[in-house]
Amino acid sequence: MKLRDKGFSTDKKIDHFTVGNDRELDLQLAKYDVMASKAHAKMLGKIGLLTHKETQELVQELDAIASRIERGTFTIEPSFEDMHSKIEYLLTLSLGDTGKKIHTARSRNDQVLVAMHLYLKDELSEIKSMTKELFDLLLKKAEEHKNVLLPGYTHLQIAMPSSFGLWFSAYAESLIDDLYFVDAAYKVADQNPLGSAAGYGSSFPIDRSFTTKEMGFETLKFNVVAAQMGRGKVEKATAFGMASIASTLSKMAMDICLYMSQNFNFVSFPDELTTGSSIMPHKKNPDVFELVRGKCNKLQSVPNQLTMVINNLPSGYHRDLQLVKEIIVPAIQDMKACLEILTFSLEEIQVNDQILEDEKYDYLFSVDTLNELVQNGMPFRDAYKKMGQEIQQGTFTPKRDISHSHEGSLGNLCLKEIKAKMEKLG
């Protein structure tokens, strides 16, 4: 069954190529098509295109379909092109001609659009919630380990003293920046495109403000052509939000892979969170974090993938746009999986509190030792030269009792301020 069925069939090869994996992807989106169909049915009743009885029957049957979706018993067989055709078939099977009326004043195009907007709103909210959960864990770990010093590196060379408090809270605060992008994507998604039909509106006197309120959208995408041009754009906005989070998670995963190695030995994890080797019995591999790194690097390519599909398309609908679904839906699942596994694993991180006992880290304290000379009256340039000579001659004695007090330093992490910044995001 196809919504565009005119009484003749297309070649099976054409069907297979054009449908692709839409049926599988639509199982993720079906509940949102039902939500939109309920709002649409009520609107059709409000403007007199459906009787009160027909409206009630459609809403009741759509609720029954929603229950099937919730239970996991809703399927889209190969005889159906997509979720829209299957849902309309079920309505018609149950309600006869009343079921056939559900497609009045809408196109499959704005059905896809509104379902995607509703889906992305939910998924972005969940991604934000999961990111906040990771944020809370990172701040907790920062507080727990704030006094444990950690070598800081520039150019992968020993640089200055850092701490696990700084390290954990750095990634926490970075997630706030990422959520600014997620919130921006949510604003793009929180606009109702339903009623744009095939991209040029309808001659029916539909009430788009009614469906906007019914579905919980903040506002309308008023211009019907602009609504159509939003297809692909809302997915791209979402992808940028996820790519920002992925950038933070990928960097942290890379840190962990380094810090777990015997050459660093800064952190470790229980055996059950690591993997072994098929031939080397001593191995405790950071496979989880390597996969997070790889998946998050893939996620950072998603905005470009979407750009390559939608770039230079003129206004109006084009079948190319079907392909954005198969890019964004799996990407969202990967994003949530990475957030979940990082939060799960980092809860069990084990921190080495004896790192700086190794004399190779003495040079971490050269800047603090130099600064003490400056505070005692020596010009900075002279102190710098004196310290350089001592290091060159092997006579350098590090000042280990360091004191960093400014905002955001290892002695003043500003964890409350960072938490307050996140709370402002809502």
Side-chain angles (χ1 to χ4, degrees):
M1 177 179 173
K2 300 182 180 66
L3 298 184
R4 53 188 169 80
D5 188 7
K6 301 182 185 69
F8 58 87
S9 61
T10 53
D11 189 280
K12 288 183 179 180
K13 284 188 178 182
I14 299 297
D15 274 352
H16 179 74
F17 184 78
T18 55
V19 172
N21 60 349
D22 252 22
R23 298 184 191 93
E24 292 81 2
L25 296 169
D26 277 358
L27 290 175
Q28 303 272 347
L29 300 171
K31 84 171 198 175
Y32 301 101
D33 190 52
V34 169
M35 288 169 58
S37 293
K38 281 179 63 178
H40 186 68
K42 291 177 183 179
M43 184 275 295
L44 292 177
K46 180 177 180 292
I47 67 172
L49 288 177
L50 291 176
T51 66
H52 178 72
K53 181 175 182 291
E54 288 172 331
T55 302
Q56 292 298 105
E57 288 175 342
L58 281 168
V59 169
Q60 185 176 351
E61 189 60 32
L62 285 164
D63 282 337
I65 296 171
S67 295
R68 289 175 59 176
I69 295 169
E70 185 70 26
R71 293 193 306 269
T73 59
F74 178 82
T75 57
I76 306 172
E77 295 82 357
S79 54
F80 296 96
E81 190 172 15
D82 50 32
M83 60 183 172
H84 317 295
S85 53
K86 176 62 183 285
I87 291 168
E88 186 170 322
Y89 168 81
L90 291 174
L91 293 175
T92 303
L93 186 67
S94 178
L95 303 174
D97 285 347
T98 299
K100 297 177 183 178
K101 294 182 179 182
I102 191 64
H103 202 59
T104 305
R106 68 176 180 175
S107 159
R108 183 171 67 167
N109 187 45
D110 63 340
Q111 279 186 262
V112 174
L113 259 171
V114 71
M116 183 57 74
H117 276 248
L118 290 168
Y119 165 74
L120 291 178
K121 282 180 63 179
D122 271 5
E123 294 292 355
L124 285 165
S125 294
E126 187 172 357
I127 287 168
K128 184 174 182 178
S129 177
M130 295 176 76
T131 303
K132 285 184 170 182
E133 186 179 355
L134 176 58
F135 170 89
D136 289 340
L137 175 63
L138 291 171
L139 281 195
K140 184 181 83 168
K141 294 295 181 183
E143 178 63 33
E144 286 176 9
H145 303 292
K146 63 184 178 183
N147 295 321
V148 180
L149 293 183
L150 173 73
Y153 287 79
T154 61
H155 309 276
L156 276 180
Q157 305 292 305
I158 293 167
M160 291 177 64
S162 181
S163 70
F164 279 102
L166 268 181
W167 185 70
F168 282 118
S169 58
Y171 282 105
E173 190 167 9
S174 183
L175 290 173
I176 297 173
D177 295 341
D178 303 331
L179 289 185
Y180 292 147
F181 286 93
V182 171
D183 276 358
Y186 188 91
K187 284 187 177 182
V188 175
D190 202 14
Q191 304 173 91
N192 176 25
L194 185 61
S196 57
Y200 301 99
S202 172
S203 59
F204 291 107
I206 58 175
D207 187 341
R208 298 186 66 210
S209 294
F210 176 87
T211 56
T212 298
K213 185 177 180 181
E214 190 72 21
M215 290 183 286
F217 281 105
E218 176 68 23
T219 188
L220 265 166
K221 198 64 173 282
F222 291 98
N223 184 292
V224 291
V225 177
Q228 165 55 44
M229 289 194 297
R231 192 162 176 191
K233 192 173 187 178
V234 65
E235 291 90 344
K236 189 174 175 181
T238 299
F240 273 116
M242 293 195 299
S244 190
I245 296 172
S247 174
T248 300
L249 302 192
S250 177
K251 187 181 288 290
M252 187 172 204
M254 181 62 202
D255 276 359
I256 292 171
C257 289
L258 281 175
Y259 292 177
M260 282 181 68
S261 76
Q262 291 88 342
N263 302 76
F264 286 80
N265 193 31
F266 295 168
V267 301
S268 60
F269 290 85
D271 289 350
E272 58 269 23
L273 297 183
T274 63
T275 58
S277 162
S278 62
I279 62 170
M280 293 172 282
H282 66 283
K283 295 296 289 296
K284 287 179 64 174
N285 295 326
D287 285 23
V288 163
F289 304 102
E290 291 172 339
L291 285 171
V292 167
R293 181 177 62 196
K295 285 177 180 288
C296 286
N297 287 341
K298 280 181 61 183
L299 283 166
Q300 290 178 80
S301 76
V302 172
N304 189 57
Q305 291 178 57
L306 290 168
T307 298
M308 292 299 98
V309 173
I310 66 176
N311 194 39
N312 294 335
L313 291 181
S315 60
Y317 174 71
H318 311 277
R319 193 63 182 261
D320 315 48
L321 294 166
Q322 176 182 318
L323 303 179
V324 302
K325 192 191 303 182
E326 65 186 48
I327 298 172
I328 197 66
V329 173
I332 287 170
Q333 303 313 311
D334 278 347
M335 181 81 272
K336 293 193 296 184
C338 288
L339 284 165
E340 181 181 20
I341 200 66
L342 260 186
T343 304
F344 174 77
S345 300
L346 285 172
E347 185 70 61
E348 304 299 324
I349 193 170
Q350 298 163 347
V351 166
N352 180 359
D353 61 3
Q354 306 295 319
I355 299 170
L356 299 195
E357 290 186 4
D358 190 323
E359 65 178 17
K360 72 170 172 282
Y361 296 120
D362 283 354
Y363 293 132
L364 284 170
F365 301 97
S366 68
V367 175
D368 291 273
T369 309
L370 183 157
N371 289 348
E372 185 176 65
L373 293 174
V374 173
Q375 287 174 324
N376 290 332
M378 184 180 292
F380 176 83
R381 190 52 56 202
D382 292 343
Y384 182 89
K385 180 182 283 188
K386 172 180 168 58
M387 196 60 50
Q389 289 172 346
E390 289 182 4
I391 291 170
Q392 188 72 25
Q393 294 163 6
T395 60
F396 168 67
T397 302
K399 167 186 162 50
R400 286 179 170 268
D401 56 332
I402 60 174
S403 176
H404 294 191
S405 60
H406 69 75
E407 296 98 324
S409 65
L410 60 84
N412 184 7
L413 295 175
C414 295
L415 300 185
K416 289 181 180 178
E417 291 81 356
I418 293 171
K419 186 174 183 180
K421 192 191 289 189
M422 174 62 92
E423 287 172 351
K424 284 184 180 179
L425 278 168

PDB file of all heavy atoms in Angstrom, residues 237-257:
ATOM      1  N   ALA A 237      20.809  20.874  12.308  1.00  0.00           N
ATOM      2  CA  ALA A 237      20.966  21.594  13.577  1.00  0.00           C
ATOM      3  C   ALA A 237      21.179  20.611  14.722  1.00  0.00           C
ATOM      4  O   ALA A 237      22.036  20.813  15.592  1.00  0.00           O
ATOM      5  CB  ALA A 237      19.742  22.472  13.837  1.00  0.00           C
ATOM      6  N   THR A 238      20.402  19.538  14.712  1.00  0.00           N
ATOM      7  CA  THR A 238      20.554  18.491  15.730  1.00  0.00           C
ATOM      8  C   THR A 238      21.946  17.865  15.648  1.00  0.00           C
ATOM      9  O   THR A 238      22.600  17.616  16.672  1.00  0.00           O
ATOM     10  CB  THR A 238      19.480  17.410  15.545  1.00  0.00           C
ATOM     11  OG1 THR A 238      18.187  18.011  15.686  1.00  0.00           O
ATOM     12  CG2 THR A 238      19.635  16.285  16.549  1.00  0.00           C
ATOM     13  N   ALA A 239      22.392  17.623  14.433  1.00  0.00           N
ATOM     14  CA  ALA A 239      23.706  17.002  14.236  1.00  0.00           C
ATOM     15  C   ALA A 239      24.824  17.888  14.772  1.00  0.00           C
ATOM     16  O   ALA A 239      25.803  17.393  15.342  1.00  0.00           O
ATOM     17  CB  ALA A 239      23.928  16.712  12.755  1.00  0.00           C
ATOM     18  N   PHE A 240      24.700  19.212  14.596  1.00  0.00           N
ATOM     19  CA  PHE A 240      25.715  20.113  15.142  1.00  0.00           C
ATOM     20  C   PHE A 240      25.731  20.048  16.662  1.00  0.00           C
ATOM     21  O   PHE A 240      26.800  20.088  17.293  1.00  0.00           O
ATOM     22  CB  PHE A 240      25.471  21.551  14.665  1.00  0.00           C
ATOM     23  CG  PHE A 240      26.107  21.860  13.339  1.00  0.00           C
ATOM     24  CD1 PHE A 240      25.332  22.174  12.234  1.00  0.00           C
ATOM     25  CD2 PHE A 240      27.483  21.841  13.189  1.00  0.00           C
ATOM     26  CE1 PHE A 240      25.910  22.460  11.002  1.00  0.00           C
ATOM     27  CE2 PHE A 240      28.085  22.126  11.962  1.00  0.00           C
ATOM     28  CZ  PHE A 240      27.290  22.439  10.866  1.00  0.00           C
ATOM     29  N   GLY A 241      24.557  19.975  17.287  1.00  0.00           N
ATOM     30  CA  GLY A 241      24.499  19.834  18.738  1.00  0.00           C
ATOM     31  C   GLY A 241      25.179  18.563  19.205  1.00  0.00           C
ATOM     32  O   GLY A 241      25.976  18.571  20.157  1.00  0.00           O
ATOM     33  N   MET A 242      24.890  17.458  18.525  1.00  0.00           N
ATOM     34  CA  MET A 242      25.510  16.180  18.896  1.00  0.00           C
ATOM     35  C   MET A 242      27.003  16.193  18.614  1.00  0.00           C
ATOM     36  O   MET A 242      27.800  15.636  19.381  1.00  0.00           O
ATOM     37  CB  MET A 242      24.833  15.038  18.151  1.00  0.00           C
ATOM     38  CG  MET A 242      23.397  14.798  18.558  1.00  0.00           C
ATOM     39  SD  MET A 242      22.762  13.208  17.986  1.00  0.00           S
ATOM     40  CE  MET A 242      22.909  13.384  16.207  1.00  0.00           C
ATOM     41  N   ALA A 243      27.402  16.819  17.520  1.00  0.00           N
ATOM     42  CA  ALA A 243      28.827  16.873  17.175  1.00  0.00           C
ATOM     43  C   ALA A 243      29.615  17.631  18.234  1.00  0.00           C
ATOM     44  O   ALA A 243      30.771  17.293  18.535  1.00  0.00           O
ATOM     45  CB  ALA A 243      29.021  17.518  15.809  1.00  0.00           C
ATOM     46  N   SER A 244      29.001  18.650  18.817  1.00  0.00           N
ATOM     47  CA  SER A 244      29.680  19.403  19.866  1.00  0.00           C
ATOM     48  C   SER A 244      29.894  18.535  21.099  1.00  0.00           C
ATOM     49  O   SER A 244      30.996  18.500  21.665  1.00  0.00           O
ATOM     50  CB  SER A 244      28.856  20.650  20.226  1.00  0.00           C
ATOM     51  OG  SER A 244      29.597  21.506  21.070  1.00  0.00           O
ATOM     52  N   ILE A 245      28.852  17.812  21.517  1.00  0.00           N
ATOM     53  CA  ILE A 245      29.007  16.882  22.639  1.00  0.00           C
ATOM     54  C   ILE A 245      30.052  15.821  22.293  1.00  0.00           C
ATOM     55  O   ILE A 245      30.921  15.482  23.106  1.00  0.00           O
ATOM     56  CB  ILE A 245      27.668  16.203  22.983  1.00  0.00           C
ATOM     57  CG1 ILE A 245      26.648  17.220  23.457  1.00  0.00           C
ATOM     58  CG2 ILE A 245      27.861  15.127  24.062  1.00  0.00           C
ATOM     59  CD1 ILE A 245      25.245  16.663  23.624  1.00  0.00           C
ATOM     60  N   ALA A 246      29.958  15.295  21.078  1.00  0.00           N
ATOM     61  CA  ALA A 246      30.872  14.232  20.656  1.00  0.00           C
ATOM     62  C   ALA A 246      32.322  14.688  20.694  1.00  0.00           C
ATOM     63  O   ALA A 246      33.225  13.912  21.032  1.00  0.00           O
ATOM     64  CB  ALA A 246      30.502  13.752  19.253  1.00  0.00           C
ATOM     65  N   SER A 247      32.574  15.940  20.367  1.00  0.00           N
ATOM     66  CA  SER A 247      33.932  16.471  20.418  1.00  0.00           C
ATOM     67  C   SER A 247      34.486  16.408  21.837  1.00  0.00           C
ATOM     68  O   SER A 247      35.647  16.022  22.060  1.00  0.00           O
ATOM     69  CB  SER A 247      33.936  17.922  19.916  1.00  0.00           C
ATOM     70  OG  SER A 247      35.214  18.497  20.075  1.00  0.00           O
ATOM     71  N   THR A 248      33.655  16.768  22.816  1.00  0.00           N
ATOM     72  CA  THR A 248      34.075  16.715  24.223  1.00  0.00           C
ATOM     73  C   THR A 248      34.315  15.280  24.665  1.00  0.00           C
ATOM     74  O   THR A 248      35.329  14.965  25.297  1.00  0.00           O
ATOM     75  CB  THR A 248      33.010  17.382  25.113  1.00  0.00           C
ATOM     76  OG1 THR A 248      32.852  18.751  24.718  1.00  0.00           O
ATOM     77  CG2 THR A 248      33.401  17.327  26.577  1.00  0.00           C
ATOM     78  N   LEU A 249      33.370  14.393  24.333  1.00  0.00           N
ATOM     79  CA  LEU A 249      33.497  13.002  24.767  1.00  0.00           C
ATOM     80  C   LEU A 249      34.688  12.314  24.107  1.00  0.00           C
ATOM     81  O   LEU A 249      35.379  11.502  24.731  1.00  0.00           O
ATOM     82  CB  LEU A 249      32.214  12.218  24.449  1.00  0.00           C
ATOM     83  CG  LEU A 249      30.903  12.720  25.044  1.00  0.00           C
ATOM     84  CD1 LEU A 249      29.807  11.672  24.876  1.00  0.00           C
ATOM     85  CD2 LEU A 249      31.055  13.106  26.498  1.00  0.00           C
ATOM     86  N   SER A 250      34.933  12.616  22.848  1.00  0.00           N
ATOM     87  CA  SER A 250      36.054  12.010  22.132  1.00  0.00           C
ATOM     88  C   SER A 250      37.379  12.409  22.758  1.00  0.00           C
ATOM     89  O   SER A 250      38.286  11.580  22.937  1.00  0.00           O
ATOM     90  CB  SER A 250      36.017  12.423  20.661  1.00  0.00           C
ATOM     91  OG  SER A 250      37.121  11.901  19.966  1.00  0.00           O
ATOM     92  N   LYS A 251      37.516  13.691  23.105  1.00  0.00           N
ATOM     93  CA  LYS A 251      38.745  14.173  23.725  1.00  0.00           C
ATOM     94  C   LYS A 251      38.953  13.508  25.088  1.00  0.00           C
ATOM     95  O   LYS A 251      40.063  13.091  25.432  1.00  0.00           O
ATOM     96  CB  LYS A 251      38.699  15.696  23.874  1.00  0.00           C
ATOM     97  CG  LYS A 251      39.996  16.312  24.362  1.00  0.00           C
ATOM     98  CD  LYS A 251      39.869  17.816  24.501  1.00  0.00           C
ATOM     99  CE  LYS A 251      39.819  18.509  23.165  1.00  0.00           C
ATOM    100  NZ  LYS A 251      41.130  18.454  22.450  1.00  0.00           N
ATOM    101  N   MET A 252      37.876  13.388  25.859  1.00  0.00           N
ATOM    102  CA  MET A 252      38.000  12.752  27.172  1.00  0.00           C
ATOM    103  C   MET A 252      38.354  11.271  27.031  1.00  0.00           C
ATOM    104  O   MET A 252      39.190  10.742  27.778  1.00  0.00           O
ATOM    105  CB  MET A 252      36.705  12.899  27.965  1.00  0.00           C
ATOM    106  CG  MET A 252      36.850  12.407  29.400  1.00  0.00           C
ATOM    107  SD  MET A 252      35.434  12.759  30.433  1.00  0.00           S
ATOM    108  CE  MET A 252      36.236  12.722  32.054  1.00  0.00           C
ATOM    109  N   ALA A 253      37.730  10.612  26.071  1.00  0.00           N
ATOM    110  CA  ALA A 253      38.041   9.197  25.841  1.00  0.00           C
ATOM    111  C   ALA A 253      39.505   9.019  25.462  1.00  0.00           C
ATOM    112  O   ALA A 253      40.166   8.064  25.897  1.00  0.00           O
ATOM    113  CB  ALA A 253      37.138   8.637  24.748  1.00  0.00           C
ATOM    114  N   MET A 254      40.026   9.953  24.662  1.00  0.00           N
ATOM    115  CA  MET A 254      41.439   9.883  24.282  1.00  0.00           C
ATOM    116  C   MET A 254      42.337  10.074  25.493  1.00  0.00           C
ATOM    117  O   MET A 254      43.339   9.355  25.673  1.00  0.00           O
ATOM    118  CB  MET A 254      41.746  10.942  23.216  1.00  0.00           C
ATOM    119  CG  MET A 254      43.185  10.937  22.738  1.00  0.00           C
ATOM    120  SD  MET A 254      43.626   9.370  21.962  1.00  0.00           S
ATOM    121  CE  MET A 254      45.398   9.408  22.114  1.00  0.00           C
ATOM    122  N   ASP A 255      41.995  11.037  26.353  1.00  0.00           N
ATOM    123  CA  ASP A 255      42.747  11.218  27.590  1.00  0.00           C
ATOM    124  C   ASP A 255      42.788   9.917  28.395  1.00  0.00           C
ATOM    125  O   ASP A 255      43.846   9.502  28.889  1.00  0.00           O
ATOM    126  CB  ASP A 255      42.104  12.303  28.458  1.00  0.00           C
ATOM    127  CG  ASP A 255      42.525  13.711  28.080  1.00  0.00           C
ATOM    128  OD1 ASP A 255      43.343  13.849  27.144  1.00  0.00           O
ATOM    129  OD2 ASP A 255      42.030  14.661  28.704  1.00  0.00           O
ATOM    130  N   ILE A 256      41.628   9.298  28.529  1.00  0.00           N
ATOM    131  CA  ILE A 256      41.548   8.080  29.343  1.00  0.00           C
ATOM    132  C   ILE A 256      42.399   6.965  28.740  1.00  0.00           C
ATOM    133  O   ILE A 256      43.088   6.230  29.459  1.00  0.00           O
ATOM    134  CB  ILE A 256      40.078   7.636  29.510  1.00  0.00           C
ATOM    135  CG1 ILE A 256      39.327   8.660  30.366  1.00  0.00           C
ATOM    136  CG2 ILE A 256      39.989   6.249  30.151  1.00  0.00           C
ATOM    137  CD1 ILE A 256      37.829   8.446  30.412  1.00  0.00           C
ATOM    138  N   CYS A 257      42.360   6.834  27.414  1.00  0.00           N
ATOM    139  CA  CYS A 257      43.185   5.802  26.762  1.00  0.00           C
ATOM    140  C   CYS A 257      44.673   6.035  27.060  1.00  0.00           C
ATOM    141  O   CYS A 257      45.422   5.086  27.327  1.00  0.00           O
ATOM    142  CB  CYS A 257      42.938   5.812  25.255  1.00  0.00           C
ATOM    143  SG  CYS A 257      41.316   5.178  24.758  1.00  0.00           S
TER     144      CYS A 257
END
